[in-house]
Amino acid sequence: QLQLVESGGGLVQPGGSLRLSCAASGFTLDYYKIGWFRQAPGKEREGVSCISNGGSTRYADSVKGRFTISRDMAKNTVYLQMNSLKPEDTAVYFCAATSAMREFRNLCATIRTIYGQWGQGTQVTVSS
């Protein structure tokens, strides 16, 4: 059974850092792309970053230079390191997995509809 479990959210002051984790079970990251998405109250879920099954990464313009996605294949876990956090980063953060286009190992996209497996989300609040 495919499962994703996020952790690491919390309350942080502006300018602070958090590291989110997405632990995958029931499948291997070598065949799946992982995306991070976020949803703020009253807003649509938006893509933040993704990592392909080959390890290539992409970022939304709003987080480029501040967030870093990475993975530990031995732990089957994907991380999102978030630095220089801003109040507008406040949202519930979700990780998601897709096996779509897995033959293209260096390609990933934060297109919500291609992701079929989702975690339960973790709250990130940036406030003083």
Side-chain angles (χ1 to χ4, degrees), residues 8-77:
L11 172 64
V12 64
Q13 292 187 340
S17 298
L18 281 175
R19 189 178 79 157
L20 305 183
S21 299
C22 173
S25 59
F27 66 97
T28 173
L29 296 179
D30 198 41
Y31 294 104
Y32 280 75
K33 306 174 194 297
I34 302 296
W36 280 101
F37 296 79
R38 66 186 181 186
Q39 187 165 18
K43 294 188 176 181
E44 292 203 358
R45 194 169 298 187
E46 63 173 356
V48 174
S49 181
C50 62
I51 186 164
S52 73
N53 43 326
S56 296
T57 60
R58 293 189 70 171
Y59 299 91
D61 287 343
S62 58
V63 306
K64 206 170 289 184
R66 299 188 299 122
F67 291 10
T68 303
I69 191 171
S70 63
R71 63 182 185 173
D72 185 327
M73 301 297 280
K75 295 182 178 179
N76 220 36
T77 299

